[in-house]
Amino acid sequence: MHRIVHIVGARPNFMKAAPVIASLSARDGMQQMLVHTGQHYDQKMSDIFFQQLGLPQPDLNLEVGSGSHAVQTGQIMIRFEEVAQDVRPDLVLVYGDVNSTVAAALVCAKLNISVGHVEAGLRSFDRTMPEEINRLLTDQIADLLLTPSADGNENLIREGVAPEKIHLVGNVMIDTLVRLSPAALERWERGQVAERRDDAYALVTLHRPSNVDDEEMLQEIVQTLIAIGQRVPVIFPVHPRTRQRLSKLDAPGIERLNLIEPIGYLDFLALQHHASVVITDSGGIQEETTFLGVPCLTVRENTERPITVSLGTNTLVGRDMQRLRSEADRVLDGYVRPHELPPLWDGKASERIADIVVDYVR
Ligand code: UD1
């Protein structure tokens, strides 16, 4: 038996790990263990995803909870080190770019336990983003680098990573989207999606510290959304970090936005499918909208997912709220830029990962 440990912690990890776990469970000789660090712990940020994605219950929850970067990363390291020493896995798989990713990778590197990074090689080239630090460090110490797109391979080679460690596998998040789209659309048809609208609407998510922790920026974004809301309803499921910031913000007119609690995977996917425009600062949503062919306006200066701009439907509007307004108008007037599907975003990335993992541990 080969022991594989998967590390998940924050919301965007769950939809990436689910298809890899499923693909590996169909292979002989693989004993899998799922460790949740507890970085995200609310029912709406974690449990609902386990249910909807069909993820097995974690074998272990490290229950680290929230904290500063050092506290969160340090706690995960301290608690996971004991587990790793105990279990002595043949391979630990880490996902994405959150604090849980880098913390677990660092523990393994020091214990001489092999680490595979799913979603390796992405770079925003913006080191003020905590995720960029997590990406750079994780990729330097990982033994298997599983990239979603060719730009990832190029970045890794440039940083001196040995080519034989790098494997272009495609986008696992899209595996989950492909699998669960029918269920999401069925919920929509049955009227089970709470925010369902028959007419045009804008779907919004924001949670990056650079947008929501900066009061002036947050006020400008909110006022721009209210202006867009004069054309179409704005549906805005609010991340807990953003909820805290908004509660302290005196924003006239904010009641005109439909600020709702974070929603589950299926409802959010259905809302993306039918949205006229998506406005976001999330990484994963830039990819999902590209796959769905839905226009996406990203409130960031840069992206670690440039393929969503070069091939997909993503436009970076930066911090320029005039630009957000005018791009939203253009899209609501019916403009959709030409787009195509990035290579290997075909719903089969996790099968390719399973092939590589099986090969690696044998
Ligand atoms: C984390 C990731 C980010 C990812 C995002 C997705 C890092 C550095 N950041 O950011 O890359 O895009 O998850 O959501 O790993 N909170 C709750 N309930 C929860 C979790 C968090 O209320 O279940 C609140 C806490 O007050 C916490 C704050 O949200 O302090 C931020 O949570 P944290 O995990 O530190 O970072 P995110 O902003 O969620």
Side-chain angles (χ1 to χ4, degrees), residues 102-119:
V102 70
L106 196 46
V107 167
C108 293
K110 297 278 178 120
L111 293 175
N112 281 323
I113 294 172
S114 297
V115 189
H117 184 203
V118 176
E119 203 185 85

mmCIF file of all heavy atoms in Angstrom, residues 102-119:
data_model
loop_
_atom_site.group_PDB
_atom_site.id
_atom_site.type_symbol
_atom_site.label_atom_id
_atom_site.label_comp_id
_atom_site.label_asym_id
_atom_site.label_seq_id
_atom_site.Cartn_x
_atom_site.Cartn_y
_atom_site.Cartn_z
ATOM 1 N N VAL A 102 1.564 26.095 1.833
ATOM 2 C CA VAL A 102 2.993 26.301 2.078
ATOM 3 C C VAL A 102 3.399 25.681 3.405
ATOM 4 O O VAL A 102 4.485 25.107 3.537
ATOM 5 C CB VAL A 102 3.373 27.797 1.978
ATOM 6 C CG1 VAL A 102 2.809 28.605 3.130
ATOM 7 C CG2 VAL A 102 4.881 27.985 1.910
ATOM 8 N N ALA A 103 2.528 25.762 4.409
ATOM 9 C CA ALA A 103 2.867 25.234 5.737
ATOM 10 C C ALA A 103 3.113 23.730 5.653
ATOM 11 O O ALA A 103 4.127 23.228 6.153
ATOM 12 C CB ALA A 103 1.737 25.545 6.723
ATOM 13 N N ALA A 104 2.212 23.009 4.997
ATOM 14 C CA ALA A 104 2.362 21.549 4.913
ATOM 15 C C ALA A 104 3.570 21.183 4.051
ATOM 16 O O ALA A 104 4.309 20.243 4.365
ATOM 17 C CB ALA A 104 1.091 20.930 4.344
ATOM 18 N N ALA A 105 3.789 21.931 2.983
ATOM 19 C CA ALA A 105 4.926 21.631 2.099
ATOM 20 C C ALA A 105 6.245 21.782 2.850
ATOM 21 O O ALA A 105 7.156 20.954 2.722
ATOM 22 C CB ALA A 105 4.895 22.540 0.870
ATOM 23 N N LEU A 106 6.337 22.816 3.655
ATOM 24 C CA LEU A 106 7.576 23.072 4.398
ATOM 25 C C LEU A 106 7.838 21.964 5.433
ATOM 26 O O LEU A 106 8.975 21.506 5.594
ATOM 27 C CB LEU A 106 7.459 24.447 5.075
ATOM 28 C CG LEU A 106 8.715 25.126 5.591
ATOM 29 C CD1 LEU A 106 9.846 25.082 4.587
ATOM 30 C CD2 LEU A 106 8.380 26.588 5.943
ATOM 31 N N VAL A 107 6.782 21.531 6.103
ATOM 32 C CA VAL A 107 6.930 20.430 7.064
ATOM 33 C C VAL A 107 7.500 19.195 6.355
ATOM 34 O O VAL A 107 8.454 18.564 6.822
ATOM 35 C CB VAL A 107 5.560 20.094 7.710
ATOM 36 C CG1 VAL A 107 5.615 18.768 8.447
ATOM 37 C CG2 VAL A 107 5.133 21.221 8.641
ATOM 38 N N CYS A 108 6.926 18.866 5.208
ATOM 39 C CA CYS A 108 7.353 17.659 4.485
ATOM 40 C C CYS A 108 8.800 17.780 4.030
ATOM 41 O O CYS A 108 9.585 16.839 4.151
ATOM 42 C CB CYS A 108 6.457 17.422 3.274
ATOM 43 S SG CYS A 108 4.797 17.018 3.748
ATOM 44 N N ALA A 109 9.145 18.954 3.484
ATOM 45 C CA ALA A 109 10.496 19.139 2.963
ATOM 46 C C ALA A 109 11.518 18.868 4.066
ATOM 47 O O ALA A 109 12.546 18.232 3.838
ATOM 48 C CB ALA A 109 10.657 20.546 2.397
ATOM 49 N N LYS A 110 11.220 19.338 5.273
ATOM 50 C CA LYS A 110 12.168 19.149 6.387
ATOM 51 C C LYS A 110 12.211 17.704 6.873
ATOM 52 O O LYS A 110 13.181 17.281 7.483
ATOM 53 C CB LYS A 110 11.781 20.054 7.559
ATOM 54 C CG LYS A 110 11.857 21.527 7.242
ATOM 55 C CD LYS A 110 13.277 22.041 7.378
ATOM 56 C CE LYS A 110 13.371 23.500 7.026
ATOM 57 N NZ LYS A 110 13.851 24.311 8.130
ATOM 58 N N LEU A 111 11.134 16.965 6.657
ATOM 59 C CA LEU A 111 11.106 15.564 7.111
ATOM 60 C C LEU A 111 11.487 14.599 5.986
ATOM 61 O O LEU A 111 11.349 13.390 6.140
ATOM 62 C CB LEU A 111 9.696 15.204 7.621
ATOM 63 C CG LEU A 111 9.213 15.905 8.895
ATOM 64 C CD1 LEU A 111 7.770 15.525 9.194
ATOM 65 C CD2 LEU A 111 10.107 15.541 10.076
ATOM 66 N N ASN A 112 11.920 15.168 4.847
ATOM 67 C CA ASN A 112 12.239 14.323 3.686
ATOM 68 C C ASN A 112 11.063 13.477 3.224
ATOM 69 O O ASN A 112 11.218 12.308 2.885
ATOM 70 C CB ASN A 112 13.422 13.399 3.979
ATOM 71 C CG ASN A 112 14.716 14.147 3.854
ATOM 72 O OD1 ASN A 112 14.842 15.011 2.974
ATOM 73 N ND2 ASN A 112 15.653 13.861 4.728
ATOM 74 N N ILE A 113 9.889 14.088 3.262
ATOM 75 C CA ILE A 113 8.694 13.424 2.727
ATOM 76 C C ILE A 113 8.367 14.116 1.406
ATOM 77 O O ILE A 113 8.392 15.347 1.330
ATOM 78 C CB ILE A 113 7.511 13.559 3.720
ATOM 79 C CG1 ILE A 113 7.820 12.777 5.005
ATOM 80 C CG2 ILE A 113 6.204 13.094 3.094
ATOM 81 C CD1 ILE A 113 6.821 12.991 6.130
ATOM 82 N N SER A 114 8.088 13.326 0.377
ATOM 83 C CA SER A 114 7.831 13.923 -0.936
ATOM 84 C C SER A 114 6.538 14.737 -0.930
ATOM 85 O O SER A 114 5.549 14.339 -0.319
ATOM 86 C CB SER A 114 7.696 12.838 -1.998
ATOM 87 O OG SER A 114 8.900 12.129 -2.102
ATOM 88 N N VAL A 115 6.575 15.857 -1.653
ATOM 89 C CA VAL A 115 5.407 16.728 -1.770
ATOM 90 C C VAL A 115 5.064 16.939 -3.240
ATOM 91 O O VAL A 115 5.949 17.210 -4.056
ATOM 92 C CB VAL A 115 5.688 18.153 -1.230
ATOM 93 C CG1 VAL A 115 4.401 18.964 -1.165
ATOM 94 C CG2 VAL A 115 6.361 18.118 0.102
ATOM 95 N N GLY A 116 3.794 16.856 -3.553
ATOM 96 C CA GLY A 116 3.319 17.220 -4.884
ATOM 97 C C GLY A 116 2.456 18.467 -4.769
ATOM 98 O O GLY A 116 1.619 18.567 -3.871
ATOM 99 N N HIS A 117 2.684 19.422 -5.673
ATOM 100 C CA HIS A 117 1.894 20.651 -5.650
ATOM 101 C C HIS A 117 0.938 20.677 -6.841
ATOM 102 O O HIS A 117 1.376 20.717 -7.994
ATOM 103 C CB HIS A 117 2.833 21.872 -5.680
ATOM 104 C CG HIS A 117 2.107 23.171 -5.570
ATOM 105 N ND1 HIS A 117 2.629 24.362 -6.016
ATOM 106 C CD2 HIS A 117 0.878 23.474 -5.065
ATOM 107 C CE1 HIS A 117 1.758 25.338 -5.788
ATOM 108 N NE2 HIS A 117 0.694 24.819 -5.221
ATOM 109 N N VAL A 118 -0.335 20.632 -6.520
ATOM 110 C CA VAL A 118 -1.360 20.719 -7.562
ATOM 111 C C VAL A 118 -1.680 22.197 -7.776
ATOM 112 O O VAL A 118 -2.045 22.888 -6.812
ATOM 113 C CB VAL A 118 -2.637 19.944 -7.151
ATOM 114 C CG1 VAL A 118 -3.731 20.112 -8.203
ATOM 115 C CG2 VAL A 118 -2.318 18.473 -6.923
ATOM 116 N N GLU A 119 -1.544 22.657 -9.015
ATOM 117 C CA GLU A 119 -1.687 24.070 -9.395
ATOM 118 C C GLU A 119 -0.353 24.801 -9.200
ATOM 119 O O GLU A 119 -0.278 25.923 -8.706
ATOM 120 C CB GLU A 119 -2.790 24.777 -8.606
ATOM 121 C CG GLU A 119 -3.336 25.995 -9.319
ATOM 122 C CD GLU A 119 -4.341 26.750 -8.462
ATOM 123 O OE1 GLU A 119 -3.929 27.587 -7.636
ATOM 124 O OE2 GLU A 119 -5.539 26.508 -8.645
#
